[in-house]
């Protein structure tokens, strides 16, 4: 059948236009060699952190911000400085951090959202603003917009107009309102919903899409690669056309057409109980309850503490362990809550402190990873 | 009998009929109508005009626009540019010749002026939210850039590569690349950022906000001094100025190490029982060292000589002097810069404000024209201080010793009218004890300072009330939170003098002028961008409007009239001009019934409720609401409440 | 006829043809009180009537014209005061040697002289208020003064209808004058205390014309000697006499910008002695008589008939110490008010009588005894920073905790204690 030239031209044009705001049409990245960090250092209360339990980390060019269960801290010029509710932090339990386009730091906590700007905290609560709920699990600043995933739904603040937009299970496709994590891409916002899989908002049209585990099984993945591996999303991340979903029952990957599921048994993930995923290019950095890993969909490099205090590095390819190495230093703990990775460095929030890993062959600890990866997102 | 002869008889019969009808049935019908519309059973004195507004309730008083020079900018060609907001003109004044050129119209009301390193004149236009570049000789427009709402002050930094504009209307600062002609960033500052200054090396920019940030009514109010990087616009520090507000000017010291910010230091947390010695407010100069940004507050007035409404400031590096305009007392203070800085260095920031310190750095005070605002130093054989005398429509040139060199009218002469005379009264501190403060001192721009005060007319610690905006009050009688003042004349009459100004009441003719001026003030504009996120209409405003006017809950059950928003807040003023009890009585209130506030411009009138306890619109129903006592809202949920709030922001 | 009738009507209606023009003192004129030196003696004269004194209106523009003697025919005359319009003069005087000194008034040209107010004591000096009332100092015979040489005195006001009201209640008060802001500045006797040696001293105070808000004037703390006869200067500032112990009296200038302890000596040279005065006469007082800006008025917020006033202190502690304050009158203790955590207290106190406050610790022991009495007027609301307020400083901006509580009522106890 001959295609009408006009129709063909129109389709190509439409496709071209759609591609400009299409999160799935992104350049294909060449396969990278396995990322290896061979040295680790750690920081805890003895170094000045407010707590050993580090919940999140945001490494920038010249400073490192850390959230813990007892406050916020920043490392500048080798010195740590802490912030607690006495300084204006809305709650001691910090869940995530995000830097906005103006250089202000947004902080989500278990009792409100805060912006730290010029040394002062401005606090938003559900009673005095459009914040959906005070239990804020994740905040992402994207241009003038600030997205907040809360226990009762999703909020978005336009800092230019001061207007809020709110969504929950009553005015969106969400199955339930418990929003655990966010990812923001071109004209798309993805929300990892606890028990609701992943929902996607096309911002320009207001249309929602829902990605649920098709088999609906809570304990097993009945059919591989049929969709999100589980409905209980613990985190989501997106970068360059790839959406990652971390769950307590494995990992999922979506490229706009095809879902892939990954389990520890056949991929080398640091356990199926994943707390966090961040993405840089097509590479995911995974934080779990048994270590952390770097995974590009084919090769997985897993780091776990060894009995001698060192680190066991296990490299998996094609469903099997291909190589194993030992490092003299290791992350502070295998219970990792947050991982911000880059080509030469990685920052890990663990249950026993903050860990910093780097590739010693590259020299001394270098500036932090590219800021694009700062939220564990695009 | 002819019809003419029967006319008196017919008239009498009609009167008897009407009276009888009223007493037998009309009154009841009226009560039923009111009860059905409002849900109130015990109807107090109510007139048709409470709901069906006559024209007199909806129209503003109008006055003739005067030039009202406010901002000044010396140009490299020796001329002085003068911004005349109400007439939408800029005037070039020739100081040497002692005269002004004919005014040149601009596409908006100019608020601030700045001269670029290349000599171009830039002006902010408050109404349209623009900053325009003008040819300094002809004032023809070269180009314009969109910035935020109601831009005010502006300044160049980074060698002219950056232009910072304070957007008073939306609390932001626009960071512009003038060469590229685009806005690089928009940064949040304090509440109503007003004046901008760049450090001498252009590396830093400071912005002072005029209003105190919204806070709890029992907390010390603070306004914000925002420090930004002069190139990136990144916020380096947000410095609170404790108990200070109403700053309209600031300047760096010549070495750039400190900021000088004139401000009003308010004592709103004390019951108002006396005015002397700063018990209601005083004027200070905040000296803020950048190395250790703890403000040192030095008194601008002496123990018995207040200096009300400080505004414009100019620093004479060569003469080591600081000039400050006192808008309320029509005076200029000349301060010795070295003595001032020494006093600041020696001051314990925690010590009480000691008026006697003023003697150490005050060189002199001299009188000037009515309501001085902007200042500018003119270099030349004889250095001169130019003063924009707003209410006299003149620019005065003073020698440093305070003697007048020239007084130059700007703009076209305009006949005086009651509104303009009232403007003079409004900004004249002479009507308060010792000339301590003016109406403007609590109502900048006719608005509200957003603070709660304790008037002692009914005791101490009782009936503490939020200061209400005067903008848009025309046609919204009665006044006062208890609704006891039927007219503005009563509101501002002898009792006002007894409880606040503690001096003579306004003379009757001045009182009428003052009322005319107040009645000319338009309501604050609705907040732009309400319900819009990333430029997209979320539909919140439309949904909120439906909620506001609804008569059924989400489950379909009917809402009685007493629970509908529109019952107490009908358009166009969104008030029924009566009192209502919405469950907000505190232990310190004599009554729970309060005058229903009109909602026009409500978005910019934070905080809310009679005692200011609700910091945001949301808090009216969340933290400070009890069930459905303030309208049927409990079925809305957070999303519905947000919709309602977005709608209110558009009123 | 056609023009005469309207003219006649106009004249009758306006009375313009029947009324004499009101005299106004010319600019530069002054009222001079002079008396034979023998009647006064060599020592400093401060106030009170002097037998044989003359009260002259001198116009320097007409030096050759015989001056008007406003007090001609009166047996004794005291210091004058003139209103801001330069039209009306008040002064104490005795009609005859047997009369008590009362308050008299007349026009600046001496016409319409009449007795304005008479009290049981001796009127010592007066001032005119912007609302037309006069305020005057007079002795109070049925009260005891600090010493025989210093009888009890107080300030009073008299209205147009003749109603007299006492407005000060805490020891001798003399030398009233009206400030441009409408307050009365006067000399208030305070007993000995810290920084004030025995037996006490006169200190300049200000008070509103209704007797409320009495407070020390800025610049007077720690001034050695007695401050008397404050006089606002037309060009600004305040002059007063300072009587250092054992030294000659000095004229001092209070510049409103001066720091606490530095009233400066008045630098202006003494004006020349009027030539109209006979030899052997001494000039006792000179008051500029020309029109000047009208002082500000003051609408009283007092509630006559109210038996209490409200007293709120922001922080009554001394150096952070103190648990309560004890209120007492000259008859005894009225009660004790606990201090809140921030040092504040709030009480209803009796009015129109001197009160003292003592600071107590937790055990009730006296930390500090109040030596300077104060008073409140009916329905007055009064706030002070604390017991040692610096009049040059402003209060802090914070809400006293006690302000949100019901005040402790100590006013009723006054009636009991007084019995």
């Amino acid at each position: 059948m001959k295609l009408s030239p006009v129709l063909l031209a129109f389709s190509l044009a439409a496709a071209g236009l759609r591609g400009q705001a299409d999160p799935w049409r992104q350049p294909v990245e060449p396969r990278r060699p396995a990322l290896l960090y061979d040295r680790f250092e750690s920081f805890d209360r003895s170094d000045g952190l407010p707590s050993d339990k580090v919940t999140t980390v945001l490494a920038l060019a010249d400073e490192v911000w850390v959230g813990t269960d007892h406050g916020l801290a920043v490392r500048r010029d080798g010195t740590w400085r802490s912030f607690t509710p006495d300084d204006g932090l809305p709650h001691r339990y910090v869940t995530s951090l995000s830097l906005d386009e103006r250089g202000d730091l947004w902080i989500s906590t278990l009792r409100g959202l805060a912006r730290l700007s010029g040394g002062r905290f401005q606090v938003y609560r559900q009673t005095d603003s459009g914040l959906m709920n005070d239990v804020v699990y994740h905040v992402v600043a994207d241009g003038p917009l600030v997205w907040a995933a809360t226990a009762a739904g999703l909020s978005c603040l336009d800092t230019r107009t001061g207007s809020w937009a709110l969504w929950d299970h009553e005015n969106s496709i969400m199955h339930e309102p418990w929003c655990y994590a966010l990812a923001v891409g071109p004209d798309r916002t993805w929300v990892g919903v606890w028990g609701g899989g992943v929902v996607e908002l096309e911002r320009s049209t207001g249309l929602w899409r829902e990605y649920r585990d098709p088999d609906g099984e809570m304990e097993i993945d009945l059919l591989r690669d049929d969709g999100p591996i589980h409905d209980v999303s613990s985190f989501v991340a997106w970068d360059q056309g790839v959406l990652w979903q971390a769950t307590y029952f494995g990992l999922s990957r979506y490229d706009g057409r095809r879902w892939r599921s990954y389990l520890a048994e056949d991929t080398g993930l640091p356990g199926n109980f994943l707390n966090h995923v961040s993405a840089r290019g097509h590479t995911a950095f995974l934080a779990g309850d048994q270590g952390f890993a770097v995974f590009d969909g084919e090769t997985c490099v897993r780091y776990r503490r060894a009995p001698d205090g060192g680190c066991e590095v296990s490299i998996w390819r094609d469903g099997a362990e291909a190589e194993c190495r030992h490092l003299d230093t290791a992350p502070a703990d295998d219970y990792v809550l947050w991982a911000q990775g880059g080509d030469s460095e990685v920052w890990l929030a663990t249950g026993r402190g903050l860990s910093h890993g780097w590739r010693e062959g590259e020299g001394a600890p270098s500036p932090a990873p590219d800021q694009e990866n700062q939220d564990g997102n695009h | 009998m002819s019809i003419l002869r029967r006319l008196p008889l017919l008239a009498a019969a009609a009167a008897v009929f009407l009276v009888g009808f009223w007493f037998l049935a009309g009154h009841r019908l009226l009560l039923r109508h009111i009860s059905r519309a409002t849900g109130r059973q015990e109807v107090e004195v109510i007139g048709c005009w409470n709901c069906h507004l006559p024209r007199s309730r909806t129209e503003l008083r109008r006055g003739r626009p005067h030039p009202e020079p406010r901002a000044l900018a010396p140009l490299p060609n020796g001329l002085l540019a003068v911004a005349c907001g109400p007439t939408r003109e800029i005037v070039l004044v020739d100081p040497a010749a002692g005269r002004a050129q004919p005014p040149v119209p601009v596409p908006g009301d100019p608020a601030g002026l700045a001269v670029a390193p290349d000599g171009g004149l830039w002006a902010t236009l408050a109404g349209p939210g623009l900053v325009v570049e003008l040819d300094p000789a002809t004032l023809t427009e070269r180009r314009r850039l969109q910035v935020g709402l109601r831009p005010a002050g502006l300044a160049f930094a980074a060698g002219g590569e950056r232009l910072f504009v304070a957007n008073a209307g939306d609390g932001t600062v626009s960071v512009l690349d003038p060469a590229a002609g685009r806005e690089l960033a928009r940064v949040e500052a304090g509440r109503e950022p007003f004046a901008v200054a760049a450090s001498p090396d252009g590396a830093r920019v400071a912005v002072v906000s005029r209003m105190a940030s919204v806070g709890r009514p029992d907390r010390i109010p603070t306004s914000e001094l925002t420090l930004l990087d002069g190139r990136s616009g990144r916020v380096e520090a947000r410095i609170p100025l404790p108990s200070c507000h109403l700053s309209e000017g600031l300047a760096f010291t010549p070495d750039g190490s400190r900021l000088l910010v004139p401000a009003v230091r308010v004592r709103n947390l004390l019951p108002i029982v006396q005015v002397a010695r700063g018990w209601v407010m005083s004027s200070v100069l905040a000296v803020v060292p950048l190395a250790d940004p703890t403000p040192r507050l030095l008194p601008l007035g002496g123990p018995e000589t207040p200096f009300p409404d400080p505004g414009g400031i100019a620093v004479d590096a060569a003469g080591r002097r600081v000039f400050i305009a006192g808008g309320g007392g029509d005076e200029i203070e000349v301060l010795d810069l070295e003595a001032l800085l020494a006093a600041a260095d020696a001051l314990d920031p925690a010590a009480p404000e000691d008026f006697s310190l003023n003697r150490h750095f005050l060189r002199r005070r001299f009188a000037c024209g009515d309501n001085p605002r902007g200042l500018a130093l003119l270099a030349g054989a004889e250095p001169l201080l130019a003063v924009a005398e707003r209410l006299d429509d003149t620019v005065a040139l003073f020698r440093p010793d305070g003697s007048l060199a020239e007084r130059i009218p700007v703009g076209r002469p305009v006949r005086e009218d009651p509104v303009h005379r009232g403007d003079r009264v409004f900004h004249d501190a002479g009507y308060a004890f010792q000339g301590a403060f003016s109406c403007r001192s609590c109502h900048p721009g006719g608005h509200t300072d957003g603070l709660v005060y304790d008037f002692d007319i009914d005791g101490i610690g009782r009936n503490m009330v939020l200061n209400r905006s005067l903008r848009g009050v025309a046609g919204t009688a009665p006044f006062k939170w208890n609704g006891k003042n039927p007219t503005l004349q009563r509101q501002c009459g002898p009792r006002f003098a007894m409880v606040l100004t503690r001096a003579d009441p306004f003379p009757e003719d001045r009182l009428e002028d003052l009322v005319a001026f107040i009645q000319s003030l338009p309501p604050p504009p609705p907040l732009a961008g309400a319900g819009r996120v990333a430029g997209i209409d979320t539909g919140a405003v439309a949904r909120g409007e439906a909620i506001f006017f609804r008569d059924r809950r989400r489950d379909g059950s009917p809402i009685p009239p007493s629970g509908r928003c529109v019952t107490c807040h009908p358009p166009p003023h969104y008030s029924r001009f009566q009192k209502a009890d919405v469950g907000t009585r505190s232990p310190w209130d004599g009554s729970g019934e309060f005058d229903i506030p009109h909602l026009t411009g409500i978005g910019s009138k934070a905080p809310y409720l009679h005692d200011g306890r609700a910091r945001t619109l949301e808090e009216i129903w969340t933290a400070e609401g009890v069930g459905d006592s303030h309208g049927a809202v409990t079925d809305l949920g957070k999303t519905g409440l947000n919709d309602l709030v977005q709608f209110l922001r558009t009123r | 006829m056609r023009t005469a009738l309207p003219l006649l009507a106009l004249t009758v209606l306006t009375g313009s043809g029947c009324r004499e023009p009101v005299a106004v003192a010319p600019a530069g004129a002054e009222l001079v009180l002079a008396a034979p030196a023998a009647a006064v003696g060599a020592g400093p004269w401060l106030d009170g009537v002097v037998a044989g004194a003359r009260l002259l209106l001198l116009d320097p523009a007409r030096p050759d014209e015989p001056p008007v003697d406003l007090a001609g025919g009166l047996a004794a005359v005291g210091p004058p005061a003139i209103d801001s319009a330069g039209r009306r003069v008040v002064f104490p005087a005795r009609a005859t040697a047997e009369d008590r000194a009362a308050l008299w008034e007349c026009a600046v040209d001496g016409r319409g002289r009449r007795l304005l107010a008479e009290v049981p004591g001796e009127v010592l000096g007066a001032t005119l208020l912007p609302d037309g009332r006069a305020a005057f100092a007079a002795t109070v015979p049925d009260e005891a003064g600090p010493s025989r040489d210093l009888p009890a005195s107080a300030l009073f006001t008299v209205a147009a209808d003749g109603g007299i009201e006492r407005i000060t209640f805490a020891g001798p008060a003399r030398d009233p004058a009206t400030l441009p802001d409408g307050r009365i500045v006067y000399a208030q006797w305070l007993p000995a205390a810290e920084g004030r040696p025995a037996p006490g001293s006169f200190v300049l105070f200000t008070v509103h014309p209704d007797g409320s808000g009495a407070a020390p004037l800025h610049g007077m703390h720690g001034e050695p000697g007695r401050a008397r006869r404050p006089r606002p200067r037309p060009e600004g500032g305040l002059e007063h006499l300072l009587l250092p112990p054992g030294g000659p009296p000095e004229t001092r200038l209070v510049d409103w910008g001066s720091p606490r302890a530095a009233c400066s000596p008045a630098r202006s040279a003494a004006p020349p002695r009027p030539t109209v005065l006979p030899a052997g006469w001494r000039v006792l007082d000179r008051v500029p008589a020309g029109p000047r800006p009208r002082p500000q008025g003051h609408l009283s917020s007092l509630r006559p008939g109210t038996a209490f006033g409200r007293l709120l202190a922001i922080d009554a502690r001394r150096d952070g110490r103190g648990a309560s304050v004890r209120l007492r009158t000259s008859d005894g203790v009225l009660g004790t008010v606990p201090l809140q955590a921030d040092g504040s207290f709030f009480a209803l106190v009796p009015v129109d009588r001197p009160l003292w406050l003592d600071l107590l610790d937790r055990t009730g022991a006296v930390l500090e005894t109040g030596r300077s009495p104060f008073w409140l007027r009916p329905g007055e609301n009064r706030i002070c920073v604390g017991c040692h307020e610096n009049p040059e400083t402003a209060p802090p901006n914070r809400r006293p905790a006690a302000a949100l509580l019901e005040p402790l009522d100590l006013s009723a106890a006054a009636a009991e204690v007084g019995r």
Side-chain angles (χ1 to χ4, degrees), chain B residues 217-218 220-221 243 266-271 273-274 276-279 303-305 352-356 359 430 432-435 456-457 459-462 464 494 497-498 502-505 588, chain C residues 181 183 208 215 217-218 256-260 294-301 303 310 312 314 346 381-385 389-400 403-407:
Chain B
D218 56 350
I220 295 174
S243 257
V266 69
R267 285 159 183 98
N268 65 304
L269 298 176
L270 293 175
V273 300
Q274 71 176 71
R277 287 167 32 222
W279 274 72
E304 308 289 344
T305 52
E353 183 176 330
D354 187 346
F355 294 111
S356 65
R359 177 192 78 104
F433 178 79
Q434 287 187 338
D456 78 331
I457 190 69
I460 289 176
R462 299 290 172 268
M464 289 165 282
M498 194 190 316
R502 308 275 166 164
D504 291 310
W588 303 282
Chain C
D181 58 35
R183 291 179 297 175
H208 287 297
L217 179 68
H218 134 80
W256 300 124
S258 69
R260 211 181 321 163
R294 178 183 174 275
Q296 287 186 306
H298 177 258
L299 281 186
S300 177
S301 58
R303 297 178 190 218
R310 295 185 186 89
L312 172 69
I314 295 176
F346 189 20
N381 295 323
R382 188 81 181 269
I383 305 180
C384 54
V385 175
E389 202 165 320
N390 180 341
E392 285 85 46
T393 62
N397 187 24
R398 63 175 175 84
R399 183 160 287 134
L404 298 178
L405 305 174
E406 282 297 320

Side-chain angles (χ1 to χ4, degrees), chain B residues 66-78:
Chain B
H66 283 243
E68 294 187 21
R70 193 183 283 252
L72 304 172
L75 296 168
N77 57 14

Side-chain angles (χ1 to χ4, degrees), chain B residues 628-647:
Chain B
D628 286 336
S629 57
H630 197 159
V633 293
T634 49
D635 66 316
L636 291 179
K638 268 297 279 184
T639 55
L641 180 62
N642 183 63
D643 292 339
L644 179 62
V645 165
Q646 296 307 316
F647 166 72

Side-chain angles (χ1 to χ4, degrees), chain C residues 308-325:
Chain C
F308 62 85
R310 295 185 186 89
L311 178 64
L312 172 69
I314 295 176
D315 189 352
R317 297 171 296 187
R318 186 84 188 265
D319 301 324
R321 296 169 62 217
S324 62
V325 291

Side-chain angles (χ1 to χ4, degrees), chain C residues 298-358:
Chain C
H298 177 258
L299 281 186
S300 177
S301 58
L302 301 185
R303 297 178 190 218
T306 306
F308 62 85
R310 295 185 186 89
L311 178 64
L312 172 69
I314 295 176
D315 189 352
R317 297 171 296 187
R318 186 84 188 265
D319 301 324
R321 296 169 62 217
S324 62
V325 291
R326 181 175 65 192
L327 185 72
R328 55 185 166 85
T329 69
S330 51
D331 297 323
V333 173
L334 294 183
T336 303
V337 189
L339 301 184
Q340 300 303 311
D342 60 355
S344 62
F345 76 85
F346 189 20
L348 302 183
V349 301
V351 297
D352 290 351
R353 56 190 303 174
L355 304 169
W356 286 264
L357 279 172
D358 304 321

Side-chain angles (χ1 to χ4, degrees), chain B residues 494-514:
Chain B
R495 277 173 80 82
F496 177 76
M498 194 190 316
V499 305
L500 180 56
T501 60
R502 308 275 166 164
D504 291 310
F506 294 110
E508 194 175 324
D509 53 350
R510 294 285 85 83
L511 179 60
E512 290 303 318
D513 292 337
L514 178 64

